[in-house]
Amino acid sequence: MIRKKNILDQNKNNTVEEDHILVKSLEANIEMFKNLFRDDEMLIIRKFQNKYLPTAKCCLIYLAGMVNNDLLNENVIQPILQNNLSEEIQTNHLLEELQYKIIVSNNVEMVNRFDELVATVISGDTILLLEGNDNALMISSKGWPSRSIDEPESAKVVRGPREGFTESIVTNLTLIRRKINTPDLKLKFREIGERTHTKVCICYLEGLALEEILAELEKRLDAIKIDAILDSGYIQELIRDAPFSPYETVGYSERPDVIAGKLLEGRIAVVVDGSPFVLTVPFVLAESFQSDEDYYNNFIFASFNRLLRMVGVFVATGLPAVYLAIVTFHQEMLPTPLLISISSARQGVPFPSAFALFFMLLVFDIIREAATRMPTPIGQAVNIVGTLVLGQAIVEAKIVSAPVIIITAISGIMKLLSPTALGSVIVLRLFFLLLASVLGIYGYIFGMILATLHLMNVRSFGVPFMLGLSSVKNHNGQDIWIRSPWWSMTLRPKIIGARNLVRHSMKKTPGSKPK
Amino acid sequence: MRKEQISDKEAMFVLIIYYIGSSFILGVGGEAKNDAWISVILGVVMAVPVILIYARLLSLFPEKDLFDILDWAFGKWIGKLFALVYIWYSFHLGALVIRNFGEFTNTIAIPETPMIVPMLCIGIICTVAVTSGIEVIGRISAAVLPILIIIVSTVSLMAIPKMYFHFLKPILGNGFLPIIKGGFSVFSFPFAESVLLMGVFSSLKTNKSPYRVYLLGTVIAGLLILMITFRNITVLGSTYSKFYFPAHIAVSMVSLGDFLQRIELAVAVDFVFGVFIKTSICLLVTCKGIAKLLRLNDYRSIVIQVALLMVYFSYTLYDSIMEMAGWAFKVYAYYAFPFQVIFPIILFVTVEIKVRRGKKKLQTGVGTDG
Amino acid sequence: MKKFLLLTIFLFINVMILAGCWNYKEIEKLTIVAGVAIDKGENNPFRVTVEIVQISGGKETKATSKLLTMEGKTIFDAVRNAISLTGKKLYWSHTKLVIISKDIAENGILRVIDWYNRDAETRSDVYLLISKEKTAREILEGKGVTDEIKSFEIADTLKNEKSLSKAPTTELWKFINDLESPGISNVVPTVNISTSENISTPQVMGLAIFKKATLIGFLNGRESKSVLFVKDELKGGLILDGVQVNNSQPVSLEIFKSKTKMEPIVKANHNIEFNVNINTTVSLEEIPTSMNLTDEIKLKKLTSRTEEVIKKRVGDCIKKVQSKYGVDIFGFGENLRENNPRIWNQIGNNWDDKFKELKVNVKVKVKIKGSGIFSQSIKMGD
């Protein structure tokens, strides 16, 4: 603890004291900047002078690569250089005249505090210093290369908007704002990270989001004391409930339409600069099974897909354990022909079924992990090795029996149906398998009860994690097990959107004849 | 700490699972042989007045549990004595239920595994549940009961081809006495065991609801048990009462085509879950009682200790399954009678007299001592 | 608190793993018993033969049958002795049938089936069979026609018995159930070896009559059908060797469904008569002679003739059982007990004596429902 503090103190040495302000001498000011950015060769100091008014000795300071060069050339340097300043400037307040009459930029401010100026330079804007002036102009000139908006790799859709968030917080907020055109959309900024000063924006709809949740979120964000935030994943882990749980209790998405949908249900989004993943709270388990496409497709089809995903998670976690339990504990459950065929597949296999299952599940995850990081062509090669070579050969060589491969494959595919739940599925699956290898099906049931107890205990920002899953009665359940048609979902989920429950007031089925 | 509350529906579901927990697999009313289903009806009818007493007590003292009421009714010392008696009963009942489960796994399910292992597992799960509190138990019951009912009904429907309805005849063939005996045993196990739920239903929401919860819960559980008993009798006939775990045997006869057969594990799922809820309730009541008795702030600090004690106690309860069956079918009804009927009636009379004498004491004085 | 809990769980899991896996047994290590035959031993009271399924791995699954014989003082003793032969415990959950030899059955089979019924691994819904051959083992020695494993084949036979109805099917638990309930005696299907073209295969045909748990006699296949008629267990099968009308060629009638109602008639002085009403729906399956099936008179004739045949056969069968064996295998007593427990309590004690003189009125009603897919019999052209 003490050591940590020392390190933090050391960090302070390099920063600027708050009350430091500019002096009148241009050279002295430049010297100050040069001192601060000692070894930073990206700092550009461009001095120039108006030919008509020699007193107008100016200096632009900015970081190369962070600014839009054209903008600076045409709108700042050119007007100051070429205009006849002696004619145009009547007063002694040269700097103000420059600000009001000469510089063509949408955002110019006058500042004299050194720390603010430094922050401006770092964030990509330009400052203009003038000889004999202890003030400077901050000129908005941000312009760095960034990725264009394209379809996110992680969440492709067949039907639905194809835009995804980028790394720029401004772009991201714009994307959200374009979906929700209302002044109710509130954006609260703050900076987190003592070294990175990452911009974080809390985004919510006033009148929908619960104030308690908002207050709790702000409290948790304020409590973060960390040196760097490089991705929203940092924040996600730092504000979540049940920190030891394998389940995610903070949601995330790369798609503006998803975030907009969640905001409209009363959730709160956290946009982090530098990360294309936007967080949402509160997050409930049912959201793991929702996909944005559910809302664009026919509701029957969408409900079917959603049920598939739920069954997928259930099967992915339970199948290896149940298989192991039946095959090694409760053989009487198997129909006789199946018993004979499994038994024959196991002939000559030296390893116990339990070990084989653990091993194969591990292999599957290794292949998955390997293929994720690889570029696509190599990834395919990994897949081929995994499926053909390993799968085929391992059975032929009698190291693992064929049913085990089948079970692993089913479980592996099923778990990919809902990618958000992946982490928890992998953990739970091993846990269940372990219990089942000791107590058979009873172990699996014990595991299920424990998992359910855990889920029942977890809350995300005060909202029960199992919200809606344990009952199908009220309108909370309309969008849980199935996706009800839009005309019937007149209310928002009760706990999350409690401040304004009415979503819309269409009562009738579309297409019904007026009476 | 936040006040724990469960809705009426959850309370009812807890009650239902509590009833059907071990009776689903142990079978009830074996004394009456093939008239056991009449015994079930009789048992429910007999249980209703007692249950009304429980509900009346609860509705008189909203937000107070059994131990608070005992304290209020009998004063400090006698109240504590009664509290001790009920702590013992819930502790013992919990141990009995765990033991039933242990014997089940030991004779039928996983005979080579030492009995203590599954029992300890149940103990651990119950510890987690009780530490989580009644709210979580309520929610998990509400989530799982529908699944249990679906499983049981499906299995029972599948058993229809194996049912011999003439096994039910002759109705009243052995006269009334066995039926009354059976009814009495159904009354004491499981219906009047709901006396312990007075220890947890302090978290109910409204004043009127204990009646609704208790009566509706009892009737629904009664119907379910009736259905199961009916299935067991029609499938197994007069041998019904000879099995330790008739439901297991009855379901093992069921098959759907060649593929779906030997589905008795489905029954085991119900059983495990029922045992889990029932033991959790017993554990919760025991811990709450001890906490009240020793004036602890929170019962959670003693859950693990009590749970472990309960498991070991249940492990030493009997020597064999024969002894367990003898106890369960012959002794238990008489042993439990004071806890289920006599003490509640004494409590009820005392409370009624006290309440009638000084109405205003009810509003102000209730449980100030606790 | 949380750490403590985690630690407990962790330790617990550890202990469980270290202590070994109690019930964990690999599927290929099981010696699956398909069927069991019980004989008298040479030196011991019992000789138990089990048919075990031998599974060989490889590309295609191959299951072959192998017989294993061991002796013991009790059944369980013999069964456990198997370990000394196979090195593995036998696995009983998939056993389909128990065949008991005549010798054993004649001395009572209670001590044979008790272990089987009591053990947790064995299943009480196995089929019970009595071997008509000298030993029960011979049955399993025969060769299967459709299945390598004879026990499975016999089990299939019994499962499909309902469209043959020449033998009852008796599951072990039902046997015990009827053994315990007064007023009904057990029948168990018999199995014998039929040899054709030098291949001997097991054949299920006829039934064995038990008095309590002791074998006292046999009925053949045709009589079995009559028994099934009375017991209302007939679900299909032919009305055997056809029905003749006016000395013509016999006609095959297949039973569609049959319903039998038994009703006791209590006369004065506790004299009891039984009415047995048989309602059968049949369809014509084979008509060798030319006959216009749409001809109502002819159909009526056929119907009444069929009714007569059934009535005679059933009546004869009941008489035979009454006079020869004197045990109520039809369940008249059970019926009386269930429907008229008051009377039963007075006369039920010596029911077998009563049964011998019981008057049974058989009434048969036959309905011909269809004639396959043809409306006419085949007529030869001129």
Side-chain angles (χ1 to χ4, degrees):
Chain A
M1 197 63 212
I2 294 167
R3 245 175 72 200
K4 204 171 175 185
K5 212 169 188 180
N6 283 340
I7 293 167
L8 288 178
D9 286 346
Q10 276 172 17
N11 291 343
K12 282 267 153 64
N13 293 343
N14 218 357
T15 56
V16 191
E17 276 153 50
E18 277 183 12
D19 49 354
H20 206 93
I21 53 172
L22 293 177
V23 293
K24 297 232 168 183
S25 156
L26 179 63
E27 285 306 319
N29 285 339
I30 292 172
E31 217 31 54
M32 266 160 46
F33 277 99
K34 273 188 173 164
N35 252 331
L36 194 67
F37 294 89
R38 259 190 307 280
D39 293 326
D40 190 345
E41 311 217 331
M42 299 287 270
L43 188 78
I44 308 290
I45 299 170
R46 162 79 163 94
K47 293 183 211 168
F48 56 95
Q49 207 171 3
N50 184 272
K51 57 185 171 187
Y52 304 101
L53 189 69
T55 49
K57 274 174 81 178
C58 303
C59 178
L60 281 178
I61 299 178
Y62 62 90
L63 287 169
M66 301 273 288
V67 295
N68 187 336
N69 287 333
D70 292 346
L71 191 140
L72 274 187
N73 288 344
E74 285 169 23
N75 301 345
V76 182
I77 302 179
Q78 209 175 23
I80 297 179
L81 275 182
Q82 294 180 345
N83 282 354
N84 189 346
L85 285 186
S86 57
E87 273 180 16
E88 288 182 23
I89 309 279
Q90 267 88 42
T91 58
N92 292 331
H93 305 292
L94 184 56
L95 199 63
E96 276 169 35
E97 295 283 326
L98 284 177
Q99 181 182 2
Y100 291 126
K101 293 186 181 163
I102 309 295
I103 296 171
V104 189
S105 171
N106 56 353
N107 190 6
V108 181
E109 273 175 54
M110 193 177 291
V111 190
N112 70 345
R113 275 177 49 190
F114 193 60
D115 56 333
E116 261 182 72
L117 288 169
V118 171
T120 313
V121 172
I122 290 172
S123 68
D125 288 337
T126 308
I127 55 176
L128 179 82
L129 298 172
L130 191 68
E131 174 69 56
N133 243 314
D134 55 0
N135 277 323
L137 291 183
M138 293 180 357
I139 302 160
S140 168
S141 65
K142 286 191 186 78
W144 53 78
S146 77
R147 196 161 60 93
S148 62
I149 299 166
D150 51 11
E151 191 172 12
E153 281 288 315
S154 71
K156 291 209 163 159
V157 289
V158 176
R159 168 141 193 213
R162 304 225 185 269
E163 53 187 13
F165 287 123
T166 68
E167 282 73 12
S168 153
I169 189 169
V170 182
T171 318
N172 292 353
L173 290 173
T174 317
L175 286 172
I176 296 175
R177 192 147 241 152
R178 266 187 37 215
K179 301 256 173 209
I180 307 173
N181 285 320
T182 162
D184 282 347
L185 181 70
K186 301 292 174 199
L187 308 169
K188 281 190 181 174
F189 282 93
R190 62 191 62 217
E191 278 185 2
I192 303 178
E194 285 167 12
R195 271 174 193 277
T196 56
H197 295 284
T198 310
K199 280 213 181 72
V200 172
C201 175
I202 301 175
C203 189
Y204 63 98
L205 279 170
E206 197 170 41
L208 280 188
L210 276 184
E211 260 144 28
E212 294 88 337
I213 298 176
L214 183 63
E216 179 66 30
L217 175 65
E218 288 191 53
K219 207 180 90 195
R220 290 188 194 180
L221 282 176
D222 288 340
I224 296 176
K225 294 274 179 288
I226 193 169
D227 64 336
I229 300 284
L230 297 183
D231 186 85
S232 55
Y234 285 49
I235 305 259
Q236 186 181 8
E237 200 159 298
L238 289 167
I239 61 171
R240 65 172 292 177
D241 297 73
F244 293 106
S245 170
Y247 294 96
E248 298 292 353
T249 50
V250 174
Y252 60 87
S253 174
E254 214 178 335
R255 304 179 54 85
D257 51 325
V258 175
I259 297 299
K262 305 232 162 174
L263 286 174
L264 286 167
E265 279 193 347
R267 290 189 178 80
I268 303 169
V270 178
V271 190
V272 178
D273 195 17
S275 168
F277 289 94
V278 175
L279 309 177
T280 54
V281 292
F283 182 75
V284 295
L285 184 63
E287 287 176 64
S288 307
F289 308 115
Q290 294 169 346
S291 148
D292 47 343
E293 228 171 314
D294 287 357
Y295 301 96
Y296 312 140
N297 277 325
N298 177 323
F299 73 96
I300 299 172
F301 179 52
S303 305
F304 176 72
N305 283 346
R306 186 170 289 179
L307 285 174
L308 268 190
R309 271 176 235 132
M310 296 197 180
V311 171
V313 165
F314 195 69
V315 170
T317 50
L319 188 66
V322 171
Y323 169 79
L324 183 69
I326 289 181
V327 165
T328 58
F329 283 84
H330 314 283
Q331 290 95 351
E332 72 272 10
M333 285 277 289
L334 290 168
T336 313
L338 195 58
L339 175 84
I340 291 173
S341 79
I342 292 179
S343 178
S344 117
R346 286 268 317 153
Q347 294 294 326
V349 176
F351 299 111
S353 297
F355 174 79
L357 267 172
F358 275 116
F359 177 69
M360 281 319 291
L361 289 177
L362 209 62
V363 167
F364 190 96
D365 278 331
I366 290 170
I367 294 171
R368 176 188 56 81
E369 183 65 18
T372 324
R373 303 276 165 268
M374 291 293 130
T376 326
I378 306 181
Q380 277 171 358
V382 170
N383 279 335
I384 290 168
V385 168
T387 49
L388 281 181
V389 181
L390 269 180
Q392 184 89 19
I394 223 164
V395 173
E396 299 248 311
K398 293 254 173 208
I399 291 172
V400 166
S401 66
V404 167
I405 302 269
I406 296 170
I407 296 294
T408 316
I410 294 176
S411 166
I413 292 169
M414 288 292 208
K415 96 188 158 188
L416 295 179
L417 279 177
S418 37
T420 1
L422 194 63
S424 54
V425 167
I426 291 174
V427 173
L428 274 192
R429 194 168 59 177
L430 289 180
F431 176 61
F432 288 164
L433 195 59
L434 189 72
L435 282 174
S437 67
V438 177
L439 284 174
I441 201 83
Y442 298 93
Y444 173 64
I445 299 170
F446 289 151
M448 281 290 276
I449 293 180
L450 276 177
T452 318
L453 273 174
H454 171 69
L455 283 175
M456 295 277 183
N457 261 327
V458 173
R459 281 166 179 272
S460 170
F461 288 82
V463 175
F465 194 50
M466 288 283 268
L467 182 72
L469 278 172
S470 54
S471 80
V472 284
K473 242 174 121 185
N474 49 23
H475 68 271
N476 279 334
Q478 279 187 332
D479 193 16
I480 306 287
W481 296 97
I482 56 163
R483 201 273 286 175
S484 307
W486 275 114
W487 38 261
S488 79
M489 278 200 279
T490 53
L491 299 175
R492 296 190 166 84
K494 196 173 169 192
I495 299 183
I496 298 168
R499 288 196 59 202
N500 187 357
L501 273 180
V502 183
R503 203 196 291 256
H504 61 73
S505 52
M506 276 183 66
K507 287 276 151 56
K508 262 188 272 170
T509 325
S512 57
K513 281 175 197 148
K515 275 176 191 169
Chain B
M1 222 188 68
R2 204 162 48 89
K3 177 108 186 55
E4 288 183 304
Q5 271 205 338
I6 52 172
S7 71
D8 286 5
K9 197 183 95 185
E10 286 166 353
M12 205 166 76
F13 282 14
V14 170
L15 183 68
I16 293 172
I17 299 189
Y18 181 83
Y19 280 144
I20 65 180
S22 38
S23 42
F24 256 24
I25 193 124
L26 278 180
V28 291
E31 290 90 338
K33 297 232 164 81
N34 62 352
D35 288 330
W37 59 281
I38 304 177
S39 294
V40 173
I41 298 173
L42 194 68
V44 175
V45 172
M46 280 159 85
V48 166
V50 189
I51 277 162
L52 283 177
I53 290 178
Y54 305 158
R56 164 78 179 155
L57 283 170
L58 277 177
S59 70
L60 272 177
F61 302 90
E63 303 195 356
K64 296 283 169 244
D65 64 21
L66 177 65
F67 301 103
D68 296 326
I69 302 172
L70 284 169
D71 227 31
W72 183 81
F74 298 119
K76 212 169 170 188
W77 290 107
I78 305 176
K80 286 225 154 119
L81 200 69
F82 271 105
L84 212 56
V85 163
Y86 273 101
I87 290 169
W88 164 252
Y89 180 55
S90 63
F91 182 71
H92 190 189
L93 185 61
L96 287 175
V97 175
I98 296 181
R99 182 58 184 244
N100 285 343
F101 178 70
E103 288 293 351
F104 172 75
T105 54
N106 206 29
T107 29
I108 290 188
I110 35 179
E112 279 144 54
T113 310
M115 201 202 301
I116 188 79
V117 177
M119 281 159 66
L120 210 53
C121 281
I122 282 282
I124 289 174
I125 294 174
C126 291
T127 312
V128 176
V130 172
T131 326
S132 309
I134 182 71
E135 251 188 45
V136 168
I137 298 179
R139 289 224 301 271
I140 203 170
S141 304
V144 175
L145 183 67
I147 303 175
L148 292 191
I149 291 181
I150 288 170
I151 293 178
V152 169
S153 325
T154 320
V155 169
S156 300
L157 280 179
M158 281 163 64
I160 286 179
K162 297 272 172 180
M163 286 181 180
Y164 296 82
F165 289 101
H166 71 91
F167 281 158
L168 291 174
K169 293 196 283 185
I171 294 167
L172 299 179
N174 303 318
F176 279 106
L177 201 63
I179 292 178
I180 290 169
K181 265 190 177 168
F184 180 54
S185 90
V186 175
F187 163 79
S188 70
F189 168 74
F191 289 107
E193 281 174 356
S194 57
V195 64
L196 285 183
L197 281 164
M198 285 170 73
V200 289
F201 278 178
S202 54
S203 322
L204 275 181
K205 271 180 186 155
T206 51
N207 208 359
K208 266 266 179 280
S209 56
Y211 290 105
R212 218 175 75 88
V213 169
Y214 256 115
L215 283 179
L216 209 58
T218 308
V219 168
I220 293 175
L223 285 176
L224 285 170
I225 293 176
L226 186 65
M227 180 178 88
I228 297 303
T229 314
F230 193 78
R231 179 195 74 196
N232 292 350
I233 295 170
T234 47
V235 172
L236 292 176
S238 57
T239 47
Y240 160 71
S241 52
K242 292 202 172 164
F243 294 105
Y244 293 122
F245 307 105
H248 189 269
I249 307 295
V251 174
S252 74
M253 308 275 181
V254 174
S255 67
L256 201 69
D258 268 351
F259 193 78
L260 208 58
Q261 44 190 341
R262 310 184 171 109
I263 48 173
E264 54 265 38
L265 269 188
V267 179
V269 174
D270 290 2
F271 186 45
V272 173
F273 199 82
V275 164
F276 156 62
I277 291 290
K278 195 163 180 179
T279 317
S280 295
I281 294 293
C282 291
L283 186 61
L284 183 60
V285 174
T286 314
C287 293
K288 270 191 163 177
I290 295 175
K292 287 257 160 64
L293 202 66
L294 304 178
R295 295 173 179 243
L296 302 176
N297 284 330
D298 193 0
Y299 69 86
R300 284 173 173 79
S301 56
I302 51 169
V303 176
I304 291 182
Q305 297 88 321
V306 175
L308 287 179
L309 276 177
M310 200 183 253
V311 170
Y312 288 124
F313 179 60
S314 76
Y315 189 62
T316 52
L317 263 179
Y318 316 115
D319 288 334
S320 67
I321 189 168
M322 286 87 86
E323 202 180 324
M324 179 185 99
W327 164 269
F329 296 122
K330 296 216 174 71
V331 187
Y332 179 75
Y334 304 101
Y335 162 76
F337 194 71
F339 304 107
Q340 293 171 341
V341 182
I342 297 178
F343 297 152
I345 285 179
I346 296 174
L347 179 63
F348 174 67
V349 171
T350 320
V351 165
E352 286 291 326
I353 291 171
K354 272 201 169 183
V355 168
R356 298 264 152 90
R357 227 185 259 160
K359 269 259 171 195
K360 71 169 189 289
K361 210 179 166 190
L362 182 67
Q363 273 99 37
T364 54
V366 173
T368 44
D369 198 34
Chain C
M1 179 70 197
K2 222 168 204 162
K3 268 183 200 157
F4 179 71
L5 206 69
L6 277 173
L7 197 71
T8 331
I9 293 170
F10 177 73
L11 277 179
F12 185 65
I13 291 172
N14 247 338
V15 164
M16 289 198 293
I17 290 167
L18 291 176
C21 307
W22 301 284
N23 267 77
Y24 185 97
K25 44 185 187 272
E26 287 295 344
I27 198 163
E28 80 275 10
K29 302 257 158 62
L30 302 175
T31 316
I32 303 162
V33 177
V36 50
I38 298 168
D39 292 304
K40 257 203 178 108
E42 279 159 27
N43 309 315
N44 286 305
F46 295 112
R47 195 180 69 171
V48 178
T49 308
V50 291
E51 182 182 28
I52 55 178
V53 184
Q54 260 200 329
I55 299 160
S56 55
K59 278 257 154 153
E60 64 232 54
T61 307
K62 242 179 130 187
T64 46
S65 135
K66 197 177 181 191
L67 292 186
L68 206 68
T69 305
M70 53 264 168
E71 297 197 350
K73 292 227 166 1
T74 61
I75 298 287
F76 194 49
D77 182 27
V79 166
R80 270 296 136 92
N81 283 341
I83 295 181
S84 63
L85 295 176
T86 60
K88 299 174 196 166
K89 259 168 76 178
L90 299 177
Y91 184 67
W92 291 90
S93 283
H94 283 259
T95 310
K96 300 277 193 258
L97 40 91
V98 176
I99 307 171
I100 296 170
S101 77
K102 261 190 299 187
D103 310 346
I104 298 267
E106 274 159 8
N107 291 323
I109 63 167
L110 200 56
R111 40 186 202 139
V112 180
I113 58 178
D114 184 70
W115 168 74
Y116 206 92
N117 195 38
R118 192 175 294 279
D119 197 89
E121 196 182 278
T122 57
R123 308 189 66 91
S124 51
D125 55 352
V126 291
Y127 294 116
L128 204 59
L129 289 155
I130 299 293
S131 161
K132 267 185 143 176
E133 304 297 324
K134 204 180 280 156
T135 62
R137 190 192 146 94
E138 284 169 58
I139 305 292
L140 294 179
E141 276 170 352
K143 192 155 170 40
V145 178
T146 54
D147 202 324
E148 271 291 323
I149 295 138
K150 268 90 56 189
S151 303
F152 291 169
E153 187 181 291
I154 299 174
D156 279 344
T157 315
L158 285 165
K159 219 175 265 165
N160 297 326
E161 190 62 45
K162 58 173 176 281
S163 46
L164 182 64
S165 293
K166 287 187 181 173
T169 54
T170 307
E171 292 176 1
L172 183 65
W173 68 274
K174 189 78 170 58
F175 183 89
I176 291 168
N177 215 344
D178 285 349
L179 199 60
E180 288 186 343
S181 64
I184 185 158
S185 287
N186 267 302
V187 289
V188 175
T190 55
V191 58
N192 57 305
I193 302 265
S194 95
T195 315
S196 63
E197 291 170 19
N198 289 331
I199 301 173
S200 48
T201 53
Q203 183 190 29
V204 181
M205 180 77 80
L207 56 80
I209 298 172
F210 278 76
K211 181 173 188 162
K212 296 290 168 205
T214 320
L215 175 73
I216 53 170
F218 295 100
L219 292 181
N220 63 19
R222 188 205 278 189
E223 288 158 339
S224 300
K225 184 162 285 178
S226 301
V227 175
L228 294 180
F229 253 128
V230 181
K231 287 182 86 172
D232 194 21
E233 281 173 15
L234 197 75
K235 294 285 176 307
L238 300 184
I239 293 179
L240 253 201
D241 44 75
V243 176
Q244 287 168 299
V245 187
N246 302 339
N247 293 328
S248 65
Q249 294 279 317
V251 175
S252 294
L253 294 167
E254 182 169 27
I255 298 163
F256 235 56
K257 62 177 184 197
S258 172
K259 181 90 198 137
T260 306
K261 265 201 157 156
M262 225 183 243
E263 49 181 345
I265 302 163
V266 183
K267 298 252 165 86
N269 217 5
H270 294 325
N271 268 338
I272 294 180
E273 279 179 23
F274 263 89
N275 279 350
V276 174
N277 298 320
I278 300 173
N279 264 315
T280 310
T281 311
V282 296
S283 73
L284 283 162
E285 289 294 324
E286 226 178 337
I287 313 147
T289 51
S290 60
M291 176 176 156
N292 188 358
L293 298 173
T294 43
D295 187 342
E296 220 170 279
I297 301 163
K298 282 198 175 154
L299 265 186
K300 262 211 174 119
K301 225 175 209 172
L302 184 64
T303 311
S304 63
R305 179 76 190 120
T306 315
E307 282 169 0
E308 266 169 50
V309 169
I310 296 176
K311 188 174 172 180
K312 178 152 189 309
R313 280 189 197 156
V314 171
D316 286 354
C317 176
I318 294 175
K319 285 226 175 67
K320 182 179 173 187
V321 173
Q322 275 178 327
S323 58
K324 200 169 168 192
Y325 303 113
V327 287
D328 181 5
I329 58 171
F330 303 100
F332 290 117
E334 191 182 43
N335 190 290
L336 184 67
R337 183 172 64 85
E338 279 167 4
N339 295 318
N340 214 335
R342 212 167 38 81
I343 304 282
W344 172 259
N345 284 341
Q346 286 162 9
I347 61 169
N349 284 333
N350 45 358
W351 174 249
D352 278 350
D353 296 337
K354 281 258 160 43
F355 171 71
K356 278 177 199 159
E357 282 115 42
L358 190 69
K359 187 164 178 253
V360 180
N361 312 312
V362 182
K363 281 179 199 152
V364 184
K365 205 156 185 212
V366 170
K367 207 172 131 200
I368 296 178
K369 206 185 158 201
S371 57
I373 55 172
F374 279 118
S375 68
Q376 307 268 314
S377 61
I378 299 165
K379 282 192 189 112
M380 277 171 272
D382 313 295

